[in-house]
Amino acid sequence: MEWVDALAEWVLFPLLILYGFTSWAKDNQKKTKSDDPFPIDPSQNGDESLKESDKEKSQSH
């Protein structure tokens, strides 16, 4: 009964792993802003010209 072993190794086990991963992904799909490991803060931008243009825009309003 080698065909049962081959079926288990090449079809059933990969499908089981795929099912487990997809069900885990569905349960953990909510991502909040605080979960971002590398947040981008626009106030800490290194380009001074962008900061100056933002100040001019805020003063004109």
Side-chain angles (χ1 to χ4, degrees):
M1 293 239 187
E2 286 186 30
W3 65 273
V4 175
D5 291 337
L7 180 70
E9 287 181 23
W10 294 101
V11 176
L12 296 178
F13 292 153
L15 286 177
L16 183 64
I17 292 169
L18 185 64
Y19 173 76
F21 179 75
T22 55
S23 65
W24 173 83
K26 286 180 183 178
D27 291 341
N28 295 306
Q29 65 183 347
K30 290 184 179 179
K31 187 173 178 97
T32 61
K33 189 175 181 180
S34 63
D35 292 341
D36 190 6
F38 303 107
I40 298 173
D41 187 6
S43 66
Q44 295 179 353
N45 192 354
D47 192 359
E48 293 297 323
S49 63
L50 291 176
K51 289 181 184 177
E52 291 173 3
S53 65
D54 288 341
K55 287 179 185 177
E56 290 172 0
K57 287 179 185 176
S58 65
Q59 290 176 355
S60 64
H61 291 294

